[in-house]
Amino acid sequence: MDEYPEYPHDVVPEPTRRFPWPPAQGESVVAAFGETWTGASLRPRSFFRAMPADGTIRTALLYYIPLGIAVAGADLFWTLTLGGLEPESEAVLGELPLGGGMNPLLEFLMAPVILLLSLFIAAGVTHALLKLFGGANRSFRFTTRVFAFAYSPQILAVVPVIGTVGGFIWMVGIAIIGLREGHRTSLGRVLAAVLIPVTLALIFVAIAAFIAATGDILLT
């Protein structure tokens, strides 16, 4: 009997490759990092299906944090190149507006903290919704690791504006696939768990931007 009737392909798993992260003993960290990025970004279905259920958050953070710092560095570079050191409303992560309004240089220095807060808040809210909708078949730790690896496309922030937007959309798509494959649940439950907080966050950002713009107009 199929344990997850809404996930029929779980009954006969497709062949998967060895999960590439963390690097095996004697393996190049750079090669493992590249293989992990390629797998998460371009082959998310097989990548997350192969992800061990008992992995640690610590090893996922060893991938996520350096990648996030590189993204923050790219954001700082384009801010200094295009707009100087004036405060701006974009978040380092393009995920949660935790860094909004901060001086870009300070925002870069705070990147590890912002990255961790964004990761655990996003994973916590999504996992709670998955549990509410009956789709959390694995632990919060597993959901957090999915989000850490799903962050991969944010490296597109090296391309200003377009790269940040494209990377965010790609990242959300990977998170949806990763949660569905990892938790062995239905697409509908995952879409609800992911898109509800994303939509609310975007509405919040839009309202904040409107209030800021209105304030600027009133002060001129």
Side-chain angles (χ1 to χ4, degrees), residues 22-40:
Q25 187 173 4
E27 183 182 6
S28 165
V29 174
V30 174
F33 195 95
E35 187 179 353
T36 302
W37 189 94
T38 302

Side-chain angles (χ1 to χ4, degrees), residues 125-161:
V125 171
T126 302
H127 190 78
L129 288 173
L130 271 178
K131 287 182 74 70
L132 178 65
F133 300 138
N137 296 314
R138 286 184 173 167
S139 65
F140 166 70
R141 180 178 64 184
F142 188 90
T143 299
T144 304
R145 290 164 58 223
V146 169
F147 271 81
F149 292 116
Y151 185 79
S152 298
Q154 283 292 91
I155 197 64
L156 291 180
V158 297
V159 180
V161 184

Side-chain angles (χ1 to χ4, degrees), residues 17-20 31-49 63 149-150 152-153 170 174 177:
R17 301 177 61 188
R18 179 191 65 80
F19 194 71
F33 195 95
E35 187 179 353
T36 302
W37 189 94
T38 302
S41 301
L42 305 180
R43 298 186 298 273
R45 185 176 177 181
S46 59
F47 178 86
F48 287 104
R49 191 177 302 177
Y63 172 84
F149 292 116
S152 298
W170 192 355
I174 290 175
I177 295 172

Side-chain angles (χ1 to χ4, degrees), residues 21-106:
W21 194 265
Q25 187 173 4
E27 183 182 6
S28 165
V29 174
V30 174
F33 195 95
E35 187 179 353
T36 302
W37 189 94
T38 302
S41 301
L42 305 180
R43 298 186 298 273
R45 185 176 177 181
S46 59
F47 178 86
F48 287 104
R49 191 177 302 177
M51 191 169 82
D54 58 351
T56 66
I57 292 178
R58 181 180 63 83
T59 56
L61 292 179
L62 291 176
Y63 172 84
Y64 169 74
I65 294 295
L67 183 64
I69 291 174
V71 172
D75 184 73
L76 176 64
F77 172 80
W78 288 116
T79 299
L80 294 177
T81 301
L82 302 177
L85 281 171
E86 293 300 319
E88 57 177 37
S89 60
E90 269 187 50
V92 167
L93 286 180
E95 188 172 342
L96 293 174
L98 298 176
M102 191 183 294
N103 180 282
L105 184 56
L106 179 59

